[in-house]
Amino acid sequence: GRHALQLGWTPLTTTPVHPVRARFSRISTALGCAGFSAFVMLLCILGGIHFKRGVEQEFYRETANIAEILMVAFEEDTATADAILTRLASDIAPDAVSQTHETELHRLLAGYTLQPSMIGPAILDRDGTLIASARVDPVPKISLRDRSTYRVHAETPNKSELYIGTPMRGPITQEWAIQFSRPLRDRSGALYGVVLLSYRLSHFIALYEKLKLSARGVAALTGRDGVVRIRSLNGEIGYGSAVSKNPLVYNRVLAEEKLGEFYGLSAIDGVTRIGTFVASKTTPFYVTVGYDVGYLR
């Protein structure tokens, strides 16, 4: 030290770092890391939300396409049946609808060329009794008075509209079918009979089975009366079952919505589903197609 002072050197000393400044440096580093982590997490969350929305939109597009296909197919079937029944109604005079003209009516009905998916046509008299059929002559005199395909016309005077019933077994064929009917009315509006035509239920089942919605999807044709005509649910076909008036879709259809998306709890089985509904512009029916949210995940 003495030699250093003599030579004019300055001794080397160590200056201690202030403890407050060191602590501030550590906090700044921690905040920087936390901020970067939060930024990365935010990017991940935003990316996940974007991906989820993309998947949802793809599901909406897919379910909308399927619903449109099913609705168009049903409207075409309905138009075909209605054209046949309308023509048939114009060919039958009020005084011809009686059991005494059964053979003549049978020949008239048998003259209509139908698709293999159809059954009929047939005629009920003013009391709801089956009096003629294209299939057999003479026909068993079976009363269909309690069936909706007759009752809906008998209970709505002066209305001449097509009615589409719920799936039922035919009284002669014993095949499951969906009946279409039109009233026969005279000039005063009084009912003097009903004409019937049916589609085999297998015709609709074949279409719904081709959908391949997997075991996590649903597709249903439902009337505004809340009754399902045909449904594919989790890979199984069902028909004719009453469903609760699910506000996700049913109330919106009654409010005259023709197309819409839904994402919520199903009243069918308590499963949350995402999908689309399409209401017909020509019939009181709508189609619902959806997937389980679990399938989306």
Side-chain angles (χ1 to χ4, degrees):
R2 183 174 61 250
H3 295 294
L5 291 174
Q6 291 175 351
L7 295 174
W9 293 349
T10 302
L12 181 64
T13 59
T14 303
T15 304
V17 178
H18 198 282
V20 174
R21 186 178 300 171
R23 188 179 300 112
F24 177 77
S25 178
R26 289 194 296 271
I27 293 175
S28 298
T29 302
L31 288 176
C33 292
F36 179 75
S37 299
F39 177 72
V40 172
M41 182 176 291
L42 178 61
L43 288 180
C44 291
I45 292 174
L46 292 177
I49 293 174
H50 177 73
F51 178 76
K52 181 174 180 289
R53 287 178 177 173
V55 174
E56 289 176 0
Q57 290 305 314
E58 181 61 30
F59 273 35
Y60 285 133
R61 284 191 293 270
E62 181 177 342
T63 54
N65 289 337
I66 295 174
E68 289 283 2
I69 291 172
L70 292 175
M71 196 76 264
V72 168
F74 180 71
E75 288 178 337
E76 289 177 350
D77 289 336
T78 300
T80 300
D82 193 28
I84 294 173
L85 292 175
T86 300
R87 180 183 171 189
L88 180 59
S90 66
D91 289 342
I92 303 175
D95 57 357
V97 182
S98 68
Q99 296 184 24
T100 58
H101 295 88
E102 181 176 351
T103 300
E104 298 170 26
L105 291 173
H106 168 72
R107 285 198 294 265
L108 173 64
L109 299 176
Y112 281 82
T113 303
L114 304 180
Q115 302 172 5
S117 57
M118 293 179 170
I119 303 173
I123 300 175
L124 309 180
D125 65 12
R126 69 179 73 251
D127 297 319
T129 300
L130 181 66
I131 62 169
S133 169
R135 298 181 66 87
V136 295
D137 180 36
V139 71
K141 303 305 182 289
I142 303 171
S143 176
L144 303 180
R145 187 181 184 87
D146 294 332
R147 294 201 175 184
S148 59
T149 45
Y150 167 81
R151 195 175 64 252
V152 71
H153 302 301
E155 295 175 354
T156 54
N158 301 314
K159 284 190 176 181
S160 295
E161 297 177 349
L162 177 72
Y163 175 73
I164 304 171
T166 57
M168 62 180 65
R169 285 187 183 275
I172 298 177
T173 64
Q174 292 301 305
E175 291 185 66
W176 279 97
I178 295 179
Q179 286 189 334
F180 294 69
S181 63
R182 264 195 171 277
L184 299 174
R185 299 192 184 279
D186 58 24
R187 293 182 178 179
S188 68
L191 183 74
Y192 65 87
V194 172
V195 286
L196 304 173
L197 181 67
S198 301
Y199 272 101
R200 289 181 168 88
L201 196 59
S202 58
H203 169 70
F204 298 99
I205 290 176
L207 178 59
Y208 278 70
E209 284 180 336
K210 291 178 181 178
L211 294 177
K212 297 181 179 179
L213 291 175
S214 82
R216 309 298 291 272
V218 59
L221 172 68
T222 308
R224 289 171 69 104
D225 55 5
V227 178
V228 175
R229 268 49 174 190
I230 182 75
R231 176 171 65 202
S232 173
L233 175 63
N234 298 333
E236 297 183 0
I237 299 294
Y239 44 86
S241 57
V243 297
S244 59
K245 310 303 185 291
N246 187 351
L248 283 176
V249 175
Y250 186 78
N251 291 341
R252 294 168 65 181
V253 172
L254 294 186
E256 305 303 330
E257 273 193 67
K258 296 301 181 183
L259 174 66
E261 300 169 349
F262 61 89
Y263 193 149
L265 192 67
S266 170
I268 301 173
D269 52 11
V271 174
T272 299
R273 290 191 171 89
I274 177 174
T276 307
F277 73 89
V278 175
S280 173
K281 298 178 181 179
T282 58
T283 66
F285 283 81
Y286 64 94
V287 169
T288 306
V289 179
Y291 285 103
D292 293 5
V293 171
Y295 181 65
L296 181 148
R297 295 196 189 101

PDB file of all heavy atoms in Angstrom, residues 18-19 31 45 62 65 108 114 138 149 158 171 183 193 217 229 289:
ATOM      1  N   HIS A  18     -26.555  -1.455  -3.928  1.00  0.00           N
ATOM      2  CA  HIS A  18     -27.600  -1.047  -2.989  1.00  0.00           C
ATOM      3  C   HIS A  18     -28.690  -2.106  -2.954  1.00  0.00           C
ATOM      4  O   HIS A  18     -29.207  -2.518  -4.000  1.00  0.00           O
ATOM      5  CB  HIS A  18     -28.173   0.306  -3.413  1.00  0.00           C
ATOM      6  CG  HIS A  18     -28.931   0.986  -2.299  1.00  0.00           C
ATOM      7  ND1 HIS A  18     -30.200   0.625  -1.953  1.00  0.00           N
ATOM      8  CD2 HIS A  18     -28.556   1.988  -1.453  1.00  0.00           C
ATOM      9  CE1 HIS A  18     -30.613   1.386  -0.946  1.00  0.00           C
ATOM     10  NE2 HIS A  18     -29.617   2.230  -0.633  1.00  0.00           N
ATOM     11  N   PRO A  19     -29.118  -2.584  -1.816  1.00  0.00           N
ATOM     12  CA  PRO A  19     -30.130  -3.668  -1.732  1.00  0.00           C
ATOM     13  C   PRO A  19     -31.467  -3.300  -2.363  1.00  0.00           C
ATOM     14  O   PRO A  19     -32.149  -4.143  -2.923  1.00  0.00           O
ATOM     15  CB  PRO A  19     -30.252  -3.909  -0.224  1.00  0.00           C
ATOM     16  CG  PRO A  19     -29.707  -2.683   0.426  1.00  0.00           C
ATOM     17  CD  PRO A  19     -28.645  -2.169  -0.502  1.00  0.00           C
ATOM     18  N   LEU A  31     -41.772  -9.376 -13.358  1.00  0.00           N
ATOM     19  CA  LEU A  31     -42.920  -8.772 -14.048  1.00  0.00           C
ATOM     20  C   LEU A  31     -42.830  -8.994 -15.554  1.00  0.00           C
ATOM     21  O   LEU A  31     -43.833  -9.237 -16.232  1.00  0.00           O
ATOM     22  CB  LEU A  31     -43.000  -7.280 -13.726  1.00  0.00           C
ATOM     23  CG  LEU A  31     -43.436  -6.916 -12.307  1.00  0.00           C
ATOM     24  CD1 LEU A  31     -43.374  -5.401 -12.088  1.00  0.00           C
ATOM     25  CD2 LEU A  31     -44.854  -7.422 -12.035  1.00  0.00           C
ATOM     26  N   ILE A  45     -55.514 -18.475 -25.718  1.00  0.00           N
ATOM     27  CA  ILE A  45     -56.961 -18.390 -25.503  1.00  0.00           C
ATOM     28  C   ILE A  45     -57.659 -17.874 -26.755  1.00  0.00           C
ATOM     29  O   ILE A  45     -58.672 -18.421 -27.197  1.00  0.00           O
ATOM     30  CB  ILE A  45     -57.268 -17.484 -24.300  1.00  0.00           C
ATOM     31  CG1 ILE A  45     -56.786 -18.149 -23.007  1.00  0.00           C
ATOM     32  CG2 ILE A  45     -58.765 -17.186 -24.214  1.00  0.00           C
ATOM     33  CD1 ILE A  45     -56.907 -17.264 -21.783  1.00  0.00           C
ATOM     34  N   GLU A  62     -72.673 -27.627 -42.093  1.00  0.00           N
ATOM     35  CA  GLU A  62     -72.966 -29.026 -42.393  1.00  0.00           C
ATOM     36  C   GLU A  62     -74.404 -29.384 -42.024  1.00  0.00           C
ATOM     37  O   GLU A  62     -75.117 -30.021 -42.806  1.00  0.00           O
ATOM     38  CB  GLU A  62     -71.991 -29.931 -41.645  1.00  0.00           C
ATOM     39  CG  GLU A  62     -72.196 -31.417 -41.919  1.00  0.00           C
ATOM     40  CD  GLU A  62     -71.166 -32.282 -41.223  1.00  0.00           C
ATOM     41  OE1 GLU A  62     -70.122 -31.757 -40.825  1.00  0.00           O
ATOM     42  OE2 GLU A  62     -71.433 -33.490 -41.074  1.00  0.00           O
ATOM     43  N   ASN A  65     -76.905 -27.841 -44.466  1.00  0.00           N
ATOM     44  CA  ASN A  65     -76.978 -28.555 -45.750  1.00  0.00           C
ATOM     45  C   ASN A  65     -77.816 -29.814 -45.624  1.00  0.00           C
ATOM     46  O   ASN A  65     -78.653 -30.107 -46.494  1.00  0.00           O
ATOM     47  CB  ASN A  65     -75.565 -28.914 -46.229  1.00  0.00           C
ATOM     48  CG  ASN A  65     -74.767 -27.706 -46.684  1.00  0.00           C
ATOM     49  OD1 ASN A  65     -75.348 -26.677 -47.044  1.00  0.00           O
ATOM     50  ND2 ASN A  65     -73.454 -27.814 -46.664  1.00  0.00           N
ATOM     51  N   LEU A 108    -111.565 -46.998 -60.256  1.00  0.00           N
ATOM     52  CA  LEU A 108    -111.020 -45.641 -60.359  1.00  0.00           C
ATOM     53  C   LEU A 108    -109.700 -45.528 -59.603  1.00  0.00           C
ATOM     54  O   LEU A 108    -108.704 -45.003 -60.136  1.00  0.00           O
ATOM     55  CB  LEU A 108    -112.024 -44.633 -59.803  1.00  0.00           C
ATOM     56  CG  LEU A 108    -111.527 -43.176 -59.686  1.00  0.00           C
ATOM     57  CD1 LEU A 108    -111.218 -42.598 -61.069  1.00  0.00           C
ATOM     58  CD2 LEU A 108    -112.553 -42.314 -58.957  1.00  0.00           C
ATOM     59  N   LEU A 114     -98.866 -45.471 -58.984  1.00  0.00           N
ATOM     60  CA  LEU A 114     -98.148 -44.937 -57.833  1.00  0.00           C
ATOM     61  C   LEU A 114     -96.705 -45.404 -57.826  1.00  0.00           C
ATOM     62  O   LEU A 114     -96.345 -46.384 -58.471  1.00  0.00           O
ATOM     63  CB  LEU A 114     -98.832 -45.378 -56.530  1.00  0.00           C
ATOM     64  CG  LEU A 114    -100.306 -45.029 -56.367  1.00  0.00           C
ATOM     65  CD1 LEU A 114    -100.808 -45.535 -55.020  1.00  0.00           C
ATOM     66  CD2 LEU A 114    -100.539 -43.531 -56.490  1.00  0.00           C
ATOM     67  N   PRO A 138    -113.922 -56.738 -52.656  1.00  0.00           N
ATOM     68  CA  PRO A 138    -114.385 -55.659 -51.771  1.00  0.00           C
ATOM     69  C   PRO A 138    -113.390 -55.419 -50.640  1.00  0.00           C
ATOM     70  O   PRO A 138    -112.546 -56.265 -50.348  1.00  0.00           O
ATOM     71  CB  PRO A 138    -115.707 -56.192 -51.236  1.00  0.00           C
ATOM     72  CG  PRO A 138    -115.513 -57.685 -51.224  1.00  0.00           C
ATOM     73  CD  PRO A 138    -114.672 -57.989 -52.429  1.00  0.00           C
ATOM     74  N   THR A 149    -106.417 -38.632 -39.545  1.00  0.00           N
ATOM     75  CA  THR A 149    -106.531 -38.379 -40.979  1.00  0.00           C
ATOM     76  C   THR A 149    -107.987 -38.166 -41.410  1.00  0.00           C
ATOM     77  O   THR A 149    -108.240 -37.578 -42.459  1.00  0.00           O
ATOM     78  CB  THR A 149    -105.938 -39.549 -41.780  1.00  0.00           C
ATOM     79  OG1 THR A 149    -106.384 -40.786 -41.218  1.00  0.00           O
ATOM     80  CG2 THR A 149    -104.429 -39.508 -41.755  1.00  0.00           C
ATOM     81  N   ASN A 158    -115.653 -26.576 -43.961  1.00  0.00           N
ATOM     82  CA  ASN A 158    -115.366 -25.625 -45.044  1.00  0.00           C
ATOM     83  C   ASN A 158    -113.881 -25.466 -45.368  1.00  0.00           C
ATOM     84  O   ASN A 158    -113.515 -24.622 -46.187  1.00  0.00           O
ATOM     85  CB  ASN A 158    -115.958 -24.246 -44.730  1.00  0.00           C
ATOM     86  CG  ASN A 158    -117.463 -24.298 -44.544  1.00  0.00           C
ATOM     87  OD1 ASN A 158    -118.166 -24.913 -45.345  1.00  0.00           O
ATOM     88  ND2 ASN A 158    -117.953 -23.681 -43.481  1.00  0.00           N
ATOM     89  N   PRO A 171    -104.663 -50.314 -42.116  1.00  0.00           N
ATOM     90  CA  PRO A 171    -105.687 -51.278 -41.694  1.00  0.00           C
ATOM     91  C   PRO A 171    -105.738 -52.537 -42.553  1.00  0.00           C
ATOM     92  O   PRO A 171    -106.205 -53.581 -42.102  1.00  0.00           O
ATOM     93  CB  PRO A 171    -106.987 -50.473 -41.823  1.00  0.00           C
ATOM     94  CG  PRO A 171    -106.673 -49.406 -42.820  1.00  0.00           C
ATOM     95  CD  PRO A 171    -105.228 -49.066 -42.617  1.00  0.00           C
ATOM     96  N   PRO A 183    -109.991 -33.757 -47.768  1.00  0.00           N
ATOM     97  CA  PRO A 183    -111.437 -33.933 -47.609  1.00  0.00           C
ATOM     98  C   PRO A 183    -112.164 -33.858 -48.948  1.00  0.00           C
ATOM     99  O   PRO A 183    -111.696 -33.220 -49.895  1.00  0.00           O
ATOM    100  CB  PRO A 183    -111.816 -32.747 -46.717  1.00  0.00           C
ATOM    101  CG  PRO A 183    -110.841 -31.673 -47.109  1.00  0.00           C
ATOM    102  CD  PRO A 183    -109.555 -32.390 -47.398  1.00  0.00           C
ATOM    103  N   GLY A 193    -116.743 -37.237 -47.662  1.00  0.00           N
ATOM    104  CA  GLY A 193    -115.760 -38.309 -47.701  1.00  0.00           C
ATOM    105  C   GLY A 193    -114.345 -37.777 -47.542  1.00  0.00           C
ATOM    106  O   GLY A 193    -114.122 -36.566 -47.455  1.00  0.00           O
ATOM    107  N   GLY A 217     -75.373 -37.637 -33.174  1.00  0.00           N
ATOM    108  CA  GLY A 217     -76.165 -36.641 -33.883  1.00  0.00           C
ATOM    109  C   GLY A 217     -77.645 -36.951 -33.884  1.00  0.00           C
ATOM    110  O   GLY A 217     -78.078 -38.051 -33.530  1.00  0.00           O
ATOM    111  N   ARG A 229     -92.363 -37.213 -36.909  1.00  0.00           N
ATOM    112  CA  ARG A 229     -92.767 -38.233 -37.876  1.00  0.00           C
ATOM    113  C   ARG A 229     -91.666 -39.271 -38.077  1.00  0.00           C
ATOM    114  O   ARG A 229     -91.926 -40.459 -38.138  1.00  0.00           O
ATOM    115  CB  ARG A 229     -93.105 -37.579 -39.215  1.00  0.00           C
ATOM    116  CG  ARG A 229     -94.567 -37.202 -39.425  1.00  0.00           C
ATOM    117  CD  ARG A 229     -95.166 -36.436 -38.274  1.00  0.00           C
ATOM    118  NE  ARG A 229     -96.535 -35.981 -38.573  1.00  0.00           N
ATOM    119  CZ  ARG A 229     -97.220 -35.153 -37.837  1.00  0.00           C
ATOM    120  NH1 ARG A 229     -96.688 -34.671 -36.717  1.00  0.00           N
ATOM    121  NH2 ARG A 229     -98.435 -34.783 -38.154  1.00  0.00           N
ATOM    122  N   VAL A 289     -81.488 -30.672 -37.402  1.00  0.00           N
ATOM    123  CA  VAL A 289     -80.275 -31.484 -37.510  1.00  0.00           C
ATOM    124  C   VAL A 289     -79.235 -30.918 -36.555  1.00  0.00           C
ATOM    125  O   VAL A 289     -78.982 -29.710 -36.559  1.00  0.00           O
ATOM    126  CB  VAL A 289     -79.709 -31.485 -38.941  1.00  0.00           C
ATOM    127  CG1 VAL A 289     -78.431 -32.321 -39.008  1.00  0.00           C
ATOM    128  CG2 VAL A 289     -80.738 -32.021 -39.929  1.00  0.00           C
TER     129      VAL A 289
END
